[in-house]
Amino acid sequence: MKIRKILIATLILLSYSSVMAQTSVDIIPRPVSIEMGSGEFRLTDKTPLVLDKSFDKAKGEYIVGLFTKNAGVTPPVSYSSTMAKGGINARIVADKSLPSKEGYTLKVDAGGILIESATDRGLLNGFKSLIQILTANSSVKGSVPFINITDYPRFEWRGTMLDVSRQFFDKDFVIKYIDWLALHKINIFHWHLTDDNGWRVDIREYPELTRKGAWRGANEVLPPAYGSSDKRYGGFYTHEDIREVVAYAAARGVDIMPEIEIPGHSRAVVGSYPAVGCENVEITKSVQGEIQNVWCVGREENFEMLDKIIGNYAELFPFEYIHIAGDEVNMTPWKNCPHCQQLMKEQGFTDVTQLQYYFVRRVEQIVNKHGRKAGGWNEILKGGNDFEPSTMIFAWQDVKYAVDAVRKGRPTVVMPGQYMYIDMAQSPTERGHRWAAIVTIERLYSFDPVPDSFKQELTPEQMKNFVGIQSALFSEYLDRPSRFVEYQSYPRLAAVAEMGWTAQADRNWNDFYTRLTRSHLKRLTKWGIAFRDFPPSAIYDKGAITVTPPYTGAVVRYDSLMNEPTFNSPIYTKPIVTGKYEEYRFKTFGLEHTFSPQAMAEKAPIDHWNSDLGKMRVSRDVTADINKDGVWYVNFAQDKDYDNKSATVTTISLLQNGNPIAQYEDNQPLINNPKYKFTVENVAAGDKFSLTITIADPNDEPTQGAITLECSPYQEPQVTVSSSMEENTRFPLSNLTDYRQQTYARTKGECKAGDWVLYEFAEPINSSRIEVLTGIPNQPEYTLTDGYVEYTFDGQTFHRAAELDYGTTFIEPTQPIKAVKIVVTGTNNRPLLAIQGLKILRKKIGEK
Ligand code: TNX
């Protein structure tokens, strides 16, 4: 008997191996432990699915649907406490001893599939993993490899936020969005339902909130904003919609935490019910430039209104938390409002931040009265910490606010914008916010929300206050291009999911990237997500561009005329021999509607400097590099591991047949990666070019780096810029003369019909295409929404070209032109206008 047992134990040991197991099933988020067996279990339409007798039917339906959609089989489902032999069995095991109630075990062997957990939620998680196994790259349709998984999350709170105010996303989209979160085991959907630019929930007692406050447009109480035009734009959810979404989410194991943005960010409320705002106050602006967007604290009726609103919330949302915001409040109105001042006197307040604290405290009490707990952004701790023990802090401005909150005994969600805000741009040239950082997926993934080092400064009791993590997607810039909300969300939310679920010690970027690109991007495609793919890299060296796809199997397409590659562009298969590397653009394309941002070919360095080797002078023949007229740049890039701050470029000159084209002696620090411009003209066959550089390192600190010689695809002719509008002296119009991508100009105030900006060239310029851009580069803020462009050949007669389309347009002149003018035809509803330098293609009129 004993011997038999040992034998069986050995056999089990032999049939499972844990070596590199995760890699083949590629589950995201990565489970705690996976052992692979040898063999497979086959699923058919006849394989019985037996769910625990107590299992929720709506969740059961969801699971059947998962099989149908992902595995192409629809197992017959029943609810029973008797397991089916050779079937898929899911059992609730009350005393399943795993560290989390959401944990589960999943075992596949010749006898079938067995999932166990203490809860419905845990079983759902098991099925979500099983579905990923069935859709791994290596999977064969309908067959499940023998496997043994034990799994549970690192954090109980794994959330993400979506702002439906700045852009409205309808019920059907929200439902899809939640479905995708569920597949990643993200269990909280934080619904940012109200903000300055739209109120999105029907409130029974206050119909104007949605009759007026849900709409923007020329004739609405809310002005156009964030890409919406004079046309009526907006929408809201009825109670029925919300109940449907809540039930849908619950069946997938996702809770919904609704947010009401108060007392700031409330332009939509004040627009609908003006009495809510403060009385007799001068117009002042919030951080986002919004006026009249603050609740009056001294008006008692406001708390009655909040009681009703929160009553509606509590009725609609069963989740234990309601988020009451409290961020970025413009407190200036409170200083001059008679009601607020009266209240301050009564309460003995000396500072308006005490009003903020008073307001939040009162709303917290209202939330509690309705049987819910309150959450707020980290600013709510500014005035004090006398909240109910359950009141939760969402630390968004920096990790230090999370540490502060847990120290004060608050349950805390870690979500610093610098890592967790997926409204941030994903690279320097992509659309998106950048106030916190450029948030690449790798940067996001690298973040450890609760590092072990915290244990040194915090007590075990305080450490328990870290309930989890969230990411956030504010929607200011999601109005375009189409499906940008998905592009911003995935695959970054896959990284968020793993951060929330997987222990830090088991997280590794390379391993994640492998699972993601080998299997998970295909799953995202299957689920219908228009995610952002990874761009290729391209190097130009010795007359040819060589492209490296971002991962095995990625399809890269290219365009040779500076256009964005499309699904119809040629596929890259071998190095491209060309003299015009700077005109090529590359993109990765997925199976359906997915693509990466575009990449350009980088030129291989012409040389390096290296202080260790004493190489601080470069003198070389660059005849082979300079093959044509144009603007050439010499770029310096100090290697990343070097932080020498005092080394500089002392002299640099480029010679054409021995004559200097230009010479610089300006001691620019190498740490700033300086660029030097040389305008090369009249290149003739047989011309010789040479480049001489000297570098100084006065403090003798190590420095090394690469020097490249790049050709610009644009002309950069001498230009003067003037305007009818006063300039902001920190962003002067003269910024537009240097043709640098990132320098731009701002007006001091608002623009109005009849205003203009004029670019005049010293000499007529011959270009086949000129791009005119307004707004902050890559960030569609302060763009000109109503206007057009004119240009002139003779400096006298202006010809009208296209209207600006959300801030940009282009002209394709038929003769050399002397000037370009932007003409404003209406307000952009923003406090100012931003204008960028022209992009003038090097290509001449008629040139191919
Ligand atoms: C800050 S995050 C805000 C939002 C903006 C967001 C843009 C927070 C509590 N407030 O109102 O939309 O930045 O990233």
Side-chain angles (χ1 to χ4, degrees), residues 159-171:
T160 196
M161 192 217 79
L162 179 67
D163 165 10
V164 296
S165 173
R166 275 62 174 270
Q167 310 297 332
F168 178 61
F169 297 100
D170 67 12
K171 179 195 76 186

Side-chain angles (χ1 to χ4, degrees), residues 163 166 195 261 265 288 327-328 377 396 421 423-424 433 435 474 476:
D163 165 10
R166 275 62 174 270
D195 212 305
E261 252 289 12
H265 283 274
Q288 271 94 5
D327 64 306
E328 297 180 328
W377 299 111
W396 67 281
Y421 270 32
D423 48 340
M424 295 299 138
H433 279 290
W435 64 260
F474 285 94
E476 289 94 331

Side-chain angles (χ1 to χ4, degrees), residues 217-232:
N219 304 310
E220 306 298 328
V221 296
L222 297 179
Y226 301 122
S228 78
S229 63
D230 283 351
K231 284 205 210 88
R232 181 174 154 90

Side-chain angles (χ1 to χ4, degrees), residues 523-806:
R523 291 185 192 123
L524 299 181
T525 305
K526 190 175 206 109
W527 298 337
I529 306 175
F531 61 87
R532 176 195 189 267
D533 212 327
F534 292 90
S537 60
I539 289 280
Y540 183 61
D541 196 15
K542 302 192 182 70
I545 306 172
T546 306
V547 174
T548 310
Y551 50 88
T552 314
V555 174
V556 175
R557 294 175 189 271
Y558 68 94
D559 184 277
S560 58
L561 297 170
M562 293 180 66
N563 301 310
E564 290 219 5
T566 70
F567 281 90
N568 301 319
S569 302
I571 294 181
Y572 171 86
T573 53
K574 58 170 194 300
I576 300 166
V577 177
T578 175
K580 296 184 176 177
Y581 78 95
E582 66 279 8
E583 296 184 3
Y584 281 76
R585 302 288 182 268
F586 303 89
K587 265 190 183 191
T588 307
F589 284 91
L591 295 171
E592 278 168 28
H593 32 245
T594 56
F595 46 82
S596 71
Q598 72 177 6
M600 298 200 276
E602 274 180 43
K603 214 156 162 229
I606 51 163
D607 217 326
H608 295 83
W609 78 92
N610 184 328
S611 63
D612 286 339
L613 303 177
K615 187 169 177 199
M616 302 298 277
R617 193 186 147 80
V618 169
S619 180
R620 53 180 302 136
D621 186 321
V622 289
T623 305
D625 294 274
I626 299 192
N627 56 357
K628 56 183 171 279
D629 286 7
V631 178
W632 291 80
Y633 280 99
V634 176
N635 303 326
F636 292 82
Q638 182 162 280
D639 287 357
K640 285 212 172 63
D641 306 337
Y642 288 76
D643 52 5
N644 181 338
K645 292 193 181 66
S646 55
T648 59
V649 181
T650 43
T651 62
I652 171 166
S653 59
L654 180 68
L655 307 179
Q656 183 169 13
N657 301 323
N659 306 312
I661 292 175
Q663 176 156 352
Y664 298 89
E665 291 175 34
D666 59 357
N667 281 308
Q668 287 226 49
L670 284 158
I671 191 99
N672 297 344
N673 293 340
K675 285 167 162 297
Y676 293 90
K677 176 170 156 179
F678 298 93
T679 306
V680 178
E681 282 163 347
N682 307 320
V683 177
D687 276 3
K688 290 255 175 275
F689 290 92
S690 61
L691 183 66
T692 317
I693 296 165
T694 51
I695 285 167
D697 179 17
N699 297 347
D700 221 356
E701 293 163 359
T703 172
Q704 70 175 55
I707 303 165
T708 49
L709 180 55
E710 298 249 34
C711 181
S712 170
Y714 299 106
Q715 303 179 35
E716 301 187 359
Q718 204 187 325
V719 66
T720 25
V721 186
S722 54
S723 173
S724 64
M725 294 168 276
E726 201 177 326
E727 66 187 8
N728 173 332
T729 47
R730 281 175 46 232
F731 297 85
L733 289 171
S734 59
N735 274 357
L736 306 179
T737 61
D738 67 4
Y739 295 99
R740 287 196 19 210
Q741 275 269 340
Q742 290 309 314
T743 51
Y744 68 97
R746 289 184 178 198
T747 61
K748 200 168 166 201
E750 289 168 40
C751 64
K752 57 177 188 319
D755 276 329
W756 50 264
V757 179
L758 180 66
Y759 303 76
E760 290 172 285
F761 304 108
E763 306 282 339
I765 51 155
N766 181 346
S767 166
S768 60
R769 185 182 158 104
I770 298 170
E771 286 165 26
V772 182
L773 304 132
T774 67
I776 300 177
N778 300 309
Q779 187 176 339
E781 186 56 275
Y782 310 133
T783 51
L784 178 57
T785 49
D786 291 319
Y788 62 90
V789 164
E790 301 181 324
Y791 58 98
T792 178
F793 302 128
D794 57 10
Q796 313 258 308
T797 324
F798 276 85
H799 304 274
R800 187 168 165 151
E803 303 244 324
L804 278 106
D805 181 23
Y806 287 86

